[in-house]
Amino acid sequence: MNIELLQEEAMASAAVSLSAMLQRPDQLEKVEQYRQRVTRKKTSVEAMLKTAVQSQLDGVISGLQQLQSALVDIVDIRQRLHEIEECVVAIPSLCDSVKNVREEHVVYSQYAVAMENLKHIFTVPESVDKTRQWISEGKLLHAHQSLTDLENSRDDLLYELHRLPNHSLQDKQMLKAYFSGVQQLSEQLGKQLWLLLGRSLNTVRKEPQVIVTAVRIIEREERADAYAVQRQKQSGFLPPGRPKKWKARALEVLSDAVVERIEGNQFEERGDNKMWLVRHLEVTRMLIIEDLRVVKTLCAPCFPPHWDIVNQFFQKYHMSISKHLEEVIAAGLIGNEFVTLLSWVLQTYPGPELLRHVDINIEPSSLGPILSDDTIEKLFQAYISNMASNYNDWMQKTVDAEARDWRRPVVPESDGDGHYHTESIVIIFQMVEQNLSVSRTISDGLMTRALILGLEQITQYGEMYREAINLFKNKHFEDRSQVPYFTHYMIAIINNCLHAMELAQEMKTRNGSRCDQSGSSAVLNKFENLAVTYDGLRNEAAGILLDEAFLDLEPHFQDLLTRKWVVSTVPVDTICATLEDYFQDYMHLKPRNFEYVIRQAEICITRKYISSIFQKKLSLKEERREVAEKIIQEAGQIEALLAPALLSRNSPSDASNSKATEDASKAISALAEVIKCDSEIITLELINFIKKYPDVSQDQLTYLLSLRGDFGRLEARQRVTDLLSSSSKDEVARSTIFSLIIVPSSIFS
């Protein structure tokens, strides 16, 4: 360290600090204050340095003292090690001098063990016979005590033999052979214990002390096992037959007894009784309740707490039942056996009828599921598959029986209001409801699946129903004399379709809220599909019903707008009379169906009448007004015929009708007005007509003008083209009766 250099740096630093403090003249007055401040600071720094130096000196002194003490200890240790070395040198000679003593000690120890067990050694055969007699007499504690003495004598002798440096294997085999009866006694006693424990649920009710005795013996053997294992770790010697593990064996025996009780209560097979599974599961339930009640009240006091015997029995019964049910499932289930098993597994077993029974009251979750989720899912699928198979059989038979009934020479059944119907739809819905009721008792998830399947099957039945109806129609129209009550049964079919939609709505109200969330959207879709199917089927059946009526009227529609028609009212009178007669039969339709059929009849009459106008059978140039008046009169006659339906036009049931029915019957009168009006106002009349019927086609209007006789074909087409091009485009989308009428192209040739 360069002191001079440090002094120079200190002087330079002091000069810098002094120049910083004395930069202005007025600061010279404070020189004394600055001096005192620097003096105090210097004194403080010196004190700190002294303290630091003193602390370092104290540490050095303490370290030197410790080094001095360590040096003294080292010298002492060296001296003692030297003394130990001198003593160790004499040890080998001492070992040689006490060798004879050691040998004598071993011999003495063996003699001592022999003397201690001398009584048992000489009395082994006698003790074995006495122990065997006690076992046969049921004096198990005495037998076990005697067995313990014999085993201790054998094990002590074998242990002393094991301790010999060069023990003879022949001596060891001789001892084992001499005590061979002891091992047989142990096995015999064990068998007696297993026999008692196997009947423990029955024995504990009358002689609980017998079970206590067996458990005490097992506990003693467990302690003997623990001692033997511990001694093996220390000396390497393990007595013959140890560890016996009688506690584990006892639990196995109890488990086997539980399995035997579960499987032993099946007294019937499927061939003996169709209700075999119901009876078997009910007997099993009652047996489990009784056995577990005995376990909780009588067995628990007979076993040590660390056995946890109550939970042991619960687990063993749970596993045994689970295994047994798996075997039942593997053997195959049929019909309602799926329902019986699922209901027992999901409702009865974890419910108040078994695990939550007042005498048992155990939480099902502590035992785990009795069947795995995969097994439950397979049962669900098998149950649904079996249900689908049954549906297919039932529905095919139902639709076949229904089709046969249609051909009977008997009027169909009617309800209290006189509405015809058959029982097929009701039968189908009853089948589905029965399956839903059963599935509902199992789980909401299964009920949802059953509901989806039921709706699919009902919808499928609708398709089968449609095929049967079409076959029925075709056969009838081939020879209309074969089925005397065709109209009546078509009325019943239409009512059945409406009834199916009503029953579906009731089913939706009853079961829709109970569906699980994952299947609710699928259920709603199935209900919609069902409604669409039967609504369409109802409409098709209504069309067939009207085809029957209009088939008779077709010749009379052909007579319209002919020379014969101009001077006669027979065609329309016949049409109205015939339809009125059919309408009397239609009164057996339900009100909603009756309105629909009447409206379809209205559309059909109007379409056929207007089609007759467009067939150009008559030139109206001279008698245009008279023909128009006649058309208006007949349109009124048709409206009067349809009055019952027209009076309820604004009823809620009309919402489902096509807009093509709107003002359908008035379209005839509107056409007649166009034919009747003067040429001067024809344009205004056509404009009003187009506004009222925006879907009228150019060909229809062109022919209508041509029919008047005062317009040429080209002039009529040009005028129609001009009117349509200037008409409102907003009205084009609305459909009326004219969308259903096709003008033959031949009329313009």
Side-chain angles (χ1 to χ4, degrees):
M1 183 180 293
N2 194 338
I3 301 298
E4 293 180 358
L5 181 61
L6 292 175
Q7 287 179 346
E8 289 177 0
E9 291 179 356
M11 292 295 291
S13 176
V16 173
S17 300
L18 186 61
S19 63
M21 288 188 291
L22 301 176
Q23 292 181 352
R24 297 190 305 276
D26 59 329
Q27 290 179 335
L28 293 173
E29 299 176 357
K30 299 180 180 179
V31 170
E32 189 63 29
Q33 295 179 2
Y34 293 151
R35 182 183 299 167
Q36 292 177 358
R37 184 189 304 167
V38 172
T39 302
R40 287 196 300 273
K41 186 175 180 181
K42 178 182 177 184
T43 303
S44 175
V45 171
E46 289 177 349
M48 291 173 61
L49 288 173
K50 289 179 180 179
T51 301
V53 171
Q54 185 63 40
S55 176
Q56 292 291 330
L57 289 174
D58 292 341
V60 171
I61 293 170
S62 176
L64 291 173
Q65 291 175 349
Q66 291 177 2
L67 288 174
Q68 182 64 32
S69 176
L71 182 60
V72 174
D73 292 340
I74 289 171
V75 173
D76 185 56
I77 291 170
R78 183 182 293 113
Q79 182 179 353
R80 292 183 182 278
L81 286 174
H82 181 69
E83 294 174 358
I84 291 171
E85 288 176 357
E86 292 178 353
C87 294
V88 168
V89 172
I91 287 177
S93 60
L94 290 175
C95 289
D96 294 337
S97 64
V98 299
K99 180 178 180 181
N100 295 332
V101 176
R102 187 187 304 112
E103 292 175 355
E104 290 297 328
H105 172 72
V106 171
V107 173
Y108 175 80
S109 176
Q110 292 175 352
Y111 285 159
V113 172
M115 290 296 293
E116 183 180 351
N117 295 285
L118 193 59
K119 179 179 66 174
H120 298 298
I121 292 173
F122 286 113
T123 60
V124 166
E126 181 182 348
S127 298
V128 168
D129 293 338
K130 185 183 294 184
T131 305
R132 185 175 290 112
Q133 181 180 355
W134 280 336
I135 292 174
S136 62
E137 293 175 355
K139 298 178 180 179
L140 300 183
L141 283 177
H142 291 83
H144 184 256
Q145 182 61 51
S146 177
L147 175 63
T148 302
D149 293 339
L150 289 169
E151 287 180 338
N152 289 339
S153 299
R154 179 198 61 186
D155 296 344
D156 289 343
L157 292 171
L158 288 173
Y159 178 65
E160 291 301 329
L161 188 61
H162 174 76
R163 290 175 60 189
L164 291 175
N166 297 314
H167 59 272
S168 172
L169 183 61
Q170 183 178 359
D171 293 342
K172 187 175 182 181
Q173 293 296 335
M174 181 182 67
L175 276 175
K176 287 185 176 180
Y178 187 70
F179 284 93
S180 60
V182 177
Q183 183 64 29
Q184 296 174 1
L185 286 177
S186 177
E187 295 173 357
Q188 186 176 351
L189 179 60
K191 291 179 180 179
Q192 190 67 21
L193 294 177
W194 313 147
L195 183 63
L196 292 174
L197 290 176
R199 298 198 299 257
S200 58
L201 292 178
N202 295 325
T203 305
V204 77
R205 307 182 194 198
K206 299 178 181 180
E207 298 179 294
Q209 68 276 10
V210 175
I211 302 300
V212 173
T213 298
V215 174
R216 288 176 62 188
I217 293 172
I218 293 171
E219 282 291 292
R220 290 176 184 177
E221 289 296 335
E222 285 294 300
R223 289 192 291 270
D225 282 349
Y227 174 75
V229 171
Q230 183 64 29
R231 187 165 65 172
Q232 182 192 24
K233 294 178 181 178
Q234 297 172 355
S235 64
F237 173 73
L238 185 66
R242 294 288 179 186
K244 294 183 179 180
K245 298 182 180 179
W246 275 13
K247 180 181 178 181
R249 176 58 181 151
L251 293 176
E252 290 180 7
V253 169
L254 292 176
S255 180
D256 292 341
V258 170
V259 172
E260 184 178 350
R261 290 182 70 83
I262 295 299
E263 295 180 351
N265 65 66
Q266 182 175 338
F267 308 112
E268 300 172 319
E269 297 291 342
R270 184 180 294 116
D272 302 327
N273 190 333
K274 292 183 178 180
M275 301 296 290
W276 70 276
L277 185 58
V278 175
R279 293 160 63 92
H280 173 49
L281 293 177
E282 179 59 19
V283 171
T284 301
R285 183 190 70 84
M286 297 171 64
L287 176 71
I288 294 172
I289 291 176
E290 181 61 26
D291 286 354
L292 294 184
R293 185 188 293 117
V294 171
V295 169
K296 291 189 70 174
T297 57
L298 299 178
C299 285
C302 296
F303 289 81
H306 64 268
W307 279 53
D308 194 19
I309 195 63
V310 175
N311 286 330
Q312 286 281 354
F313 264 107
F314 283 164
Q315 289 289 346
K316 293 182 187 306
Y317 269 95
H318 182 74
M319 290 187 293
S320 297
I321 296 169
S322 177
K323 182 180 178 181
H324 180 60
L325 292 180
E326 292 280 3
E327 292 173 353
V328 171
I329 294 170
L333 300 174
I334 61 173
N336 290 330
E337 292 173 1
F338 289 101
V339 178
T340 300
L341 187 62
L342 284 170
S343 178
W344 197 88
V345 168
L346 298 178
Q347 300 297 330
T348 303
Y349 183 75
E353 295 180 79
L354 213 162
L355 292 185
R356 295 186 185 274
H357 191 275
V358 64
D359 293 334
I360 299 175
N361 195 22
I362 184 173
E363 182 61 35
S365 59
S366 64
L367 299 176
I370 190 171
L371 291 177
S372 65
D373 292 341
D374 289 341
T375 303
I376 295 294
E377 178 62 25
K378 289 179 181 178
L379 286 175
F380 278 178
Q381 293 176 357
Y383 173 64
I384 294 298
S385 177
N386 183 68
M387 187 188 300
S389 177
N390 290 337
Y391 277 141
N392 291 333
D393 293 341
W394 294 339
M395 291 186 179
Q396 187 60 54
K397 292 177 181 177
T398 302
V399 76
D400 291 343
E402 174 85 352
R404 287 194 299 270
D405 290 344
W406 293 340
R407 293 172 173 79
R408 294 184 306 168
V410 180
V411 176
E413 297 179 3
S414 60
D415 58 19
D417 297 324
H419 304 141
Y420 290 149
H421 66 90
T422 59
E423 296 298 325
S424 62
I425 292 296
V426 176
I427 292 173
I428 295 299
F429 273 89
Q430 285 177 347
M431 293 178 187
V432 175
E433 282 291 352
Q434 288 173 1
N435 285 321
L436 288 180
S437 299
V438 173
S439 303
R440 195 179 296 115
T441 63
I442 298 174
S443 71
D444 288 344
L446 184 60
M447 189 275 289
T448 302
R449 295 191 189 188
L451 179 57
I452 292 174
L453 175 63
L455 295 175
E456 290 175 347
Q457 292 294 326
I458 295 173
T459 304
Q460 179 63 29
Y461 179 79
E463 299 301 329
M464 298 167 64
Y465 208 45
R466 175 180 282 110
E467 293 178 5
I469 292 170
N470 288 331
L471 183 61
F472 179 53
K473 176 196 72 173
N474 294 335
K475 291 290 185 181
H476 172 69
F477 287 143
E478 289 175 3
D479 183 358
R480 296 175 66 187
S481 64
Q482 290 184 356
V483 183
Y485 293 103
F486 178 82
T487 299
H488 301 75
Y489 278 103
M490 288 307 304
I491 291 172
I493 290 170
I494 296 170
N495 287 338
N496 287 346
C497 294
L498 179 60
H499 194 199
M501 292 186 281
E502 294 170 348
L503 291 174
Q505 185 59 41
E506 294 175 5
M507 182 182 291
K508 182 179 180 182
T509 303
R510 283 193 303 271
N511 302 292
S513 60
R514 296 201 57 175
C515 296
D516 55 18
Q517 294 182 353
S518 60
S520 57
S521 60
V523 169
L524 292 178
N525 289 336
K526 298 302 180 183
F527 273 115
E528 291 177 3
N529 293 340
L530 187 150
V532 169
T533 297
Y534 280 91
D535 186 59
L537 187 57
R538 189 276 304 259
N539 297 344
E540 291 178 23
I544 295 172
L545 181 68
L546 291 175
D547 287 345
E548 167 76 1
F550 282 91
L551 190 63
D552 295 331
L553 299 176
E554 189 61 33
H556 302 288
F557 278 107
Q558 293 296 327
D559 289 340
L560 296 177
L561 271 293
T562 61
R563 286 296 170 187
K564 175 183 176 181
W565 167 80
V566 173
V567 296
S568 173
T569 61
V570 171
V572 172
D573 290 343
T574 304
I575 290 172
C576 291
T578 303
L579 288 177
E580 186 176 6
D581 183 55
Y582 274 104
F583 288 173
Q584 291 300 315
D585 291 333
Y586 296 169
M587 295 300 294
H588 294 286
L589 288 164
K590 292 184 176 182
R592 181 176 167 186
N593 288 334
F594 179 76
E595 293 176 12
Y596 177 81
V597 170
I598 295 300
R599 295 193 181 285
Q600 293 303 308
E602 174 186 1
I603 294 173
C604 192
I605 295 171
T606 305
R607 178 172 58 82
K608 287 183 175 294
Y609 199 104
I610 295 176
S611 296
S612 297
I613 295 177
F614 286 162
Q615 286 178 1
K616 199 177 181 181
K617 304 172 186 176
L618 189 66
S619 177
L620 305 180
K621 185 172 183 181
E622 301 297 332
E623 45 193 351
R624 175 163 51 86
R625 292 183 180 277
E626 291 79 2
V627 169
E629 290 292 345
K630 185 175 179 61
I631 293 174
I632 293 172
Q633 177 185 354
E634 291 182 347
Q637 190 175 351
I638 293 172
E639 289 183 20
L641 174 67
L642 302 173
L646 298 176
L647 290 175
S648 57
R649 180 178 295 277
N650 296 323
S651 63
S653 62
D654 290 340
S656 62
N657 290 336
S658 171
K659 289 186 178 180
T661 64
E662 186 176 353
D663 295 330
S665 61
K666 296 186 179 298
I668 300 175
S669 300
L671 283 174
E673 292 295 338
V674 173
I675 296 173
K676 176 182 175 183
C677 71
D678 295 332
S679 302
E680 292 79 6
I681 61 173
I682 187 63
T683 301
L684 180 61
E685 190 69 31
L686 286 175
I687 291 173
N688 291 333
F689 186 84
I690 293 171
K691 287 182 178 180
K692 192 171 184 180
Y693 303 100
D695 61 337
V696 64
S697 68
Q698 181 176 355
D699 288 344
Q700 290 170 344
L701 289 175
T702 301
Y703 177 72
L704 188 60
L705 290 180
S706 300
L707 184 64
R708 288 168 51 91
D710 53 355
F711 288 98
R713 184 182 305 169
L714 295 178
E715 181 185 1
R717 182 172 293 278
Q718 183 61 42
R719 179 166 296 200
V720 168
T721 301
D722 295 341
L723 286 173
L724 291 177
S725 62
S726 62
S727 64
S728 174
K729 300 298 181 182
D730 297 335
E731 292 289 334
V732 174
R734 186 167 66 88
S735 297
T736 68
I737 186 65
F738 287 96
S739 299
L740 306 176
I741 299 173
I742 299 176
V743 178
S745 58
S746 59
I747 64 174
F748 296 107
S749 57

